[in-house]
Amino acid sequence: MSKTLSFRHLREDEVHVPLNMAMEEGWNPGLEDGPAFHAADPTGFFVGEIDGKLINVISAVRYGDSFGFIGLYICKREFRTRGYGHQIWDHALKYLGSRLLGLDAVNEQTASYAEHGFKSIYRNIRNTGLSLCDTPMDPRLAPLGQGLFPSIRDYDALFFPAPRTEFLKLWTSPMLETRRGFAFVDDGTIRGYGVIRKCHEGFKIGPLFADTLDIADTLFRALAGQVKGQTIILDTPEPNASALLLAEKYELSPEFETYRMYRGAVPDLPLDQIYGITTFELG
């Protein structure tokens, strides 16, 4: 076996590979995340191989010309500490170029990323518990469907550094059996939306974006009510104190944390209206 690491793009039918590796690491991805992930950037998923044997993976998703996000950075355990991780990392950075970059890092890795110009901006807190909610009978709640998509796309743009249209089409698709989504529509205007999806363990709510705490509360109950009695997970940005209170109100407990890090000018996002981030892997 040679020691030369070569890289190639993962095909659409291979995106399950890094997701399965993430599951083995305990990262708990969604059961049907693959199609949406791949749609975000069809050439943004890489595998490192030696003589055709998979060594490591990484996602380096380009959102347009201005933003990129790094995730799914995993090396098989038996090949760690040999420098292969640095090689695929450098390959990903070269692919992403000079655009603003983001990632979510565990505390133990923040110093390593800082050496590459990334700065920790805030923590994301993973909150977990049993859903005790009933879905409210509120006429302003609308199930996500194709008719709403243009408005959802435009609303989502307020909360993300760059357009992610192709990703959203699949992430919010009512055709996927393992997820549900709702928009909060007030007088014909979208004022919040959220998605809940089945993961290998429990159900994750993300994103959960809303103009106000009351709207976020209504959407949370609508989503959590779909899986009453089962485990739900909400990843909240720590600067949004209302999001942390929402999690506490519904008896979700802090379980895990990451640090949102950026290389470049920190995007000016309305964190006080972000009650749940979309995903640690893609931002």
Side-chain angles (χ1 to χ4, degrees):
M1 183 175 179
S2 74
K3 295 184 179 181
T4 302
L5 194 66
S6 62
F7 308 105
R8 65 175 179 84
H9 299 288
L10 281 169
R11 302 185 307 269
E12 184 174 6
D13 63 353
E14 295 178 306
V15 175
H16 68 278
V17 172
L19 292 174
N20 287 344
M21 292 174 69
M23 180 183 67
E24 293 169 2
E25 294 293 320
W27 296 358
N28 196 25
L31 296 185
E32 293 184 285
D33 286 356
F37 278 16
H38 186 266
D41 181 359
T43 59
F45 296 82
F46 298 95
V47 59
E49 297 175 327
I50 296 178
D51 295 337
K53 182 178 179 63
L54 188 148
I55 306 298
N56 51 19
V57 294
I58 197 168
S59 62
V61 171
R62 297 186 298 193
Y63 293 101
D65 296 327
S66 61
F67 183 57
F69 203 87
I70 299 174
L72 296 170
Y73 181 24
I74 310 170
C75 185
K76 285 192 171 182
R77 292 184 181 274
E78 62 267 32
F79 296 107
R80 292 176 183 176
T81 71
R82 301 188 191 182
Y84 297 136
H86 293 296
Q87 292 179 49
I88 199 168
W89 168 266
D90 290 342
H91 186 78
L93 286 185
K94 183 177 179 180
Y95 172 80
L96 290 167
S98 61
R99 53 176 51 78
L100 166 67
L101 300 181
L103 56 82
D104 282 315
V106 297
N107 184 49
E108 294 79 9
Q109 295 298 324
T110 54
S112 175
Y113 294 131
E115 294 177 359
H116 296 273
F118 287 83
K119 295 182 179 179
S120 295
I121 307 302
Y122 58 84
R123 291 195 303 169
N124 289 310
I125 310 297
R126 172 157 291 174
N127 302 279
T128 303
L130 291 181
S131 170
L132 305 175
C133 297
D134 294 306
T135 297
M137 301 300 292
D138 192 318
R140 296 170 295 181
L141 288 170
L144 295 186
Q146 293 304 311
L148 275 177
F149 181 75
S151 297
I152 292 296
R153 176 200 60 210
D154 294 346
Y155 186 76
D156 184 85
L158 303 173
F159 302 94
F160 202 73
R164 50 178 181 172
T165 302
E166 298 307 314
F167 168 83
L168 281 179
K169 283 179 182 177
L170 292 174
W171 196 258
T172 63
S173 173
M175 305 304 293
L176 296 178
E177 295 182 0
T178 63
R179 64 189 63 206
R180 294 289 182 270
F182 290 95
F184 189 96
V185 185
D186 188 12
D187 195 23
T189 300
I190 301 286
R191 298 194 59 202
Y193 91 96
V195 173
I196 187 168
R197 73 194 197 280
K198 183 174 178 56
C199 298
H200 291 275
E201 295 182 6
F203 295 79
K204 287 182 183 176
I205 294 175
L208 178 56
F209 301 150
D211 289 359
T212 68
L213 174 57
D214 286 344
I215 293 172
D217 189 293
T218 300
L219 284 166
F220 178 90
R221 287 183 286 127
L223 297 164
Q226 304 296 300
V227 295
K228 187 175 181 180
Q230 301 188 69
T231 299
I232 54 174
I233 301 159
L234 180 69
D235 297 327
T236 57
E238 190 177 35
N240 186 347
S242 294
L244 301 180
L245 290 174
L246 181 70
E248 183 178 354
K249 176 181 178 180
Y250 292 104
E251 300 183 26
L252 306 185
S253 300
E255 182 184 70
F256 180 73
E257 65 185 35
T258 67
Y259 287 79
R260 173 58 58 87
M261 305 184 75
Y262 289 109
R263 189 177 80 173
V266 177
D268 183 18
L269 301 177
L271 293 178
D272 60 337
Q273 296 172 267
I274 298 177
Y275 292 83
I277 69 165
T278 307
T279 161
F280 286 154
E281 290 81 19
L282 264 70

